Every structure is written in C-alpha cells, then in structure tokens.
Amino acid sequence: MNHSTPSRTTHLLRLLPPGVRDIFGDEAARLTLVHRAAEETFWRWGYAPVVLPTFEYYDVLARGFDEQASGKMHRFIDAQGNLLALRPDLTVPVARLVASRLVQEPPPVRLAYVAPVFRYVEPRAGQQREFREIWQAGVECVGVNNADADAEIIALHVATLQAMGVPRFQLNLGHMGFVHGVFDALDKQPPNLAAIRRAIDRKNRHILAEELDRAGVRGAARAALEALPTLWGQGDVLERAAALAPTPRARSAIERLQQIVARLEAYGVRDFVTIDLGEVRGMHYYTGITFETFAPHSGYPIAGGGRYDNLLALYGYDAPAVGFAVFTQRVLDVLEAENAAPDVPRPDALMVACGHAECLADLQRRRAAGQRIELDLSSRSPEGTRRKAAARGIGAVLVCGEWQEVAHGD
C-alpha cells in the first residue's frame, strides 16, 4: 500500500496560525519602501515616531472602543491570569499614552507610527469572521481643535499617499457635526433610527423616504435628511448644505468644512477631496471631520481618519484629537495593480570573496561612501560571481578592487 506523506512545505505552512503570514523577498522590500516613504513624510511634517506595545490589558484597550469594536480584539490570558488583548488599532493606544504620559507636553502633540494591528474582521457574506494582522501607517494630532489642524491632517494624508506612489485616489470628506445637527432637529429619536442611518449610508433615497414616513419626520429636519444622500461631490455641496442646515450645530459643521476646504486649496490638494455629508458610519466615535480614501483596484478603503475629541477623556485627559491611518498592504496591492510598485534596489555590485585583506578594506571604504556592495560568500571565482550578478540583475562585479560592468545576458 502506498501511503502518501505531506510535503515539507505543507508541514511548514501549518506552523503559522490563520490570519498571519511571512512576508519576505521583494514583497517585504516593497512594503518596507512604502513604510519608509510614510515615515519620512511624517517626519518632515513634524510628527515624532512612537512605538507602542503589541498587547495591553484588555479592559484598558476596551475602554476606547464600543461593544462591537471590542469584539474584534484577540484576547488571551497571561501566566498571572491577566486578561490581555492584541491592539486592534493604534489610535486608542496613542490616546492612552498621551493621557497617561504626555499631559505636560504643550499642544499640539504630534505622533506617528508604522506598525501592525490585529483584529477579527468580517469577511464576505456567509463566511465566519477571520483573525488578521493588518499593517497601518498613521498619525495623531492631539490638543488642538480648529480648521488648521483638520486641514493639516488631510493634507498630510494626501502627501503620504503621494510619497507612497499611489497614482489615483479619492478622499471622501464629511463632518459628523452636520449629521448630528440634523438629527438634533428631530422632536424625538425615531425607533427606526438605525434603518434611517443605513439608508443614508447606502444613499438609497427611496428607502430613506419610507423610513422617514414611518418615523413621522417632517419639516426642516425631513428636508435635510432626505438631502443627505445627494450632498456629495466637489461642486456646490457645502452651499446647498448650508441652506438646509436646520440647527446651529449643523451650520457650524458646514462653516468648519468651508474653512478646511479653503486651506486645502492653499495646500494644493483640493482636487483629491470629495465632500460626502451622508457619511454616518463611526457616529459613536468621530465628533468632527471624518474621511475615507479609495483607490482603483481596491474593494476596500485604503485609509481613513477623522476627529475624535471625546476619546482621551476616557483615559482621564480631556483633549481634542484628529488623525488618520493608511492600510499599507492595501496600498501595495493598489500599486502593483497600477504597475506603480516601488522598484526594489539591487546591490551596486557583487564582490568576489578573494580573501585579500586589502580588498575587504576597500569594500568597507566603498560601503562607507554609500555604495551597496554584496560579498559573494559562496564563490571565489570571478566567472561564477559574474553569472550570479547577471542572473540577479546586478550591474557590476568587484574583482580585487577592479569594478567590472556586467552586461545583460552575461
């Protein structure tokens, strides 16, 4: 009888739990280049890097999330019996850090990060939720609540995607103050409020009208709610919204957006931004601007952010904040689909390991001067090293201090 045995590759793949994977080779190099582009952009804009724990006490993390978001956390118990959780995003840990360690810092506190998060996500319909590791590159600006801070975050977000090389994207910008202000105009909270929000989010005007009829909504609030799915675009959206705003809160939100748009014009990034006042997701979390960014070839947003002025108070420090996070693996997928992925730099030369002390000294001098040279440890043959260089697309070999070009096809 022939008993088949699993291959070594299959066995090794089973060493990793579902939801995580090894990233290596050119893929790892490209992801590193995307991260480096983000980090350099954050640095130029004055955002200091921060490195946060991968896991924290579950109750401390959960304080910053609603019940649904808390359910996305991967929990485990340590040797002392403490309930811990892997971070599902980085905004809440930053809020905890600022509230506990940086309260004496003069505002604004600008922090940046590039790191993985871990969460359960809802896959396509009919499938069970999955645990996934997701890389994020983002910033948080804490301590200031004005149009300058909001515009800086949006402009930095655009600059980050440009530095990453994303050729086409659209940022949909809304303001929770307008949505909340419209709902403030209702005499009472409708029992079908969740259905009304879903209809607005899906921009389904027919269902929205039916739900408003069920709730008995009339007057200025009705007019504003019915218009929400249409308050989208780059034209006169804010002017139309200002005419419909039924409460001071809604009018204040439109005024803030007008101030932000004027600043985005000055930054030169206005064309990337589309106003979307019908955005109602995240109403429990965001207090001001909110945005999601989309790009061709991605079925999901590649980034998102907004203002969350109530979060830090949950950790004992009442301070406003605004920020964003880019999902860098999604960005890399978009870049590859657009044939815009960063080129992985090859070594400038492959050097024959001749064993001469003076050659090693020359190698060190060249590296110190900025050349990227790899020592061929497995061969002392110039011919063998030349073949390896040609096969790997390396344009030169170094033989006892002599720089020799390698032609394609050598």
Side-chain angles (χ1 to χ4, degrees):
M1 183 178 292
N2 182 20
H3 295 283
S4 61
T5 58
S7 69
R8 175 175 171 79
T9 301
T10 302
H11 173 70
L12 290 176
L13 288 175
R14 292 178 59 192
L15 294 177
L16 285 176
V20 297
R21 66 187 182 96
D22 297 313
I23 303 176
F24 54 92
D26 282 357
E27 182 185 6
R30 286 191 291 268
L31 189 61
T32 298
L33 291 171
V34 166
H35 290 166
R36 187 178 299 164
E39 290 171 333
E40 291 175 352
T41 306
F42 299 160
W43 188 264
R44 286 198 303 272
W45 285 61
Y47 284 77
V50 61
V51 180
L52 297 156
T54 303
F55 58 88
E56 300 187 29
Y57 291 117
Y58 168 76
D59 60 331
V60 174
L61 278 177
R63 195 179 307 171
F65 297 100
D66 64 3
E67 184 176 347
Q68 180 180 5
S70 295
K72 295 181 179 180
M73 283 194 271
H74 184 78
R75 290 164 283 184
F76 59 99
I77 297 174
D78 68 7
Q80 288 72 43
N82 299 304
L83 182 59
L84 308 177
L86 297 175
R87 60 190 182 207
D89 86 348
L90 285 150
T91 301
V92 170
V94 167
R96 187 265 309 151
L97 168 67
V98 175
S100 60
R101 305 287 297 277
L102 301 176
V103 293
Q104 301 303 321
E105 293 292 318
V109 176
R110 291 183 171 101
L111 298 175
Y113 48 79
V114 176
V117 299
F118 309 87
R119 63 176 68 162
Y120 285 107
V121 297
E122 302 297 337
R124 296 191 176 118
Q127 297 179 336
Q128 294 182 339
R129 66 179 187 169
E130 300 173 347
F131 174 72
R132 289 186 191 169
E133 177 187 57
I134 303 167
W135 277 87
Q136 290 185 345
V139 302
E140 314 295 340
C141 179
V142 180
V144 179
N145 180 1
N146 57 34
D148 291 315
D150 291 345
E152 175 175 288
I153 285 295
I154 295 168
L156 172 55
H157 173 51
V158 172
T160 301
L161 292 180
Q162 290 176 319
M164 290 176 169
V166 182
R168 297 181 291 164
F169 57 90
Q170 174 181 298
L171 186 153
N172 293 346
L173 173 64
H175 197 298
M176 282 301 157
F178 185 78
V179 178
H180 284 297
V182 172
F183 281 114
D184 287 346
L186 300 177
D187 294 331
K188 60 181 179 180
Q189 180 169 302
N192 59 334
L193 182 59
I196 292 173
R197 288 177 177 171
R198 282 195 300 272
I200 294 170
D201 183 54
R202 294 170 183 171
K203 294 180 169 45
N204 191 319
R205 299 180 67 186
H206 176 71
I207 294 178
L208 176 58
E210 290 181 346
E211 295 297 338
L212 293 176
D213 286 339
R214 284 181 54 205
V217 177
R218 299 288 183 269
R222 170 82 182 227
L225 285 170
E226 284 190 318
L228 278 176
T230 71
L231 294 176
W232 180 91
Q234 289 192 330
D236 63 345
V237 174
L238 294 180
E239 289 75 12
R240 290 191 288 123
L244 290 165
T247 64
R249 188 179 187 182
R251 288 191 289 274
S252 177
I254 298 304
E255 290 170 2
R256 172 65 77 87
L257 283 173
Q258 289 170 333
Q259 295 168 0
I260 292 169
V261 167
R263 287 159 173 78
L264 296 179
E265 291 275 8
Y267 275 115
V269 301
R270 174 65 181 89
D271 290 345
F272 293 98
V273 178
T274 294
I275 301 298
D276 184 3
L277 293 175
E279 177 59 64
V280 295
R281 285 169 289 185
M283 287 189 69
H284 66 281
Y285 184 80
Y286 291 113
T287 58
I289 62 163
T290 178
F291 56 88
E292 285 188 313
T293 303
F294 297 86
H297 310 292
S298 177
Y300 302 92
I302 61 172
R307 175 163 290 282
Y308 51 96
D309 290 340
N310 298 330
L311 178 59
L312 276 84
L314 299 175
Y315 294 96
Y317 180 43
D318 191 2
V322 60
F324 71 82
V326 177
F327 305 108
T328 57
Q329 286 164 307
R330 293 180 187 175
V331 165
L332 191 55
D333 290 341
V334 168
L335 293 175
E336 290 173 346
E338 293 270 14
N339 294 317
D343 292 329
V344 178
R346 303 301 177 192
D348 298 313
L350 191 61
M351 177 175 165
V352 176
C354 62
H356 300 148
E358 59 271 24
C359 292
L360 291 178
D362 178 59
L363 171 63
Q364 290 297 81
R365 286 192 294 270
R366 290 176 180 272
R367 286 172 172 169
Q371 291 182 353
R372 185 178 173 211
I373 300 176
E374 182 179 320
L375 187 61
D376 184 5
L377 298 173
S378 62
S379 172
R380 293 195 175 189
S381 162
E383 293 76 15
T385 298
R386 179 179 289 275
R387 285 194 297 270
K388 289 180 184 178
R392 294 176 54 191
I394 300 172
V397 295
L398 195 59
V399 183
C400 290
E402 182 185 352
W403 191 274
Q404 301 177 1
E405 299 295 331
V406 175
H408 182 70
D410 278 9

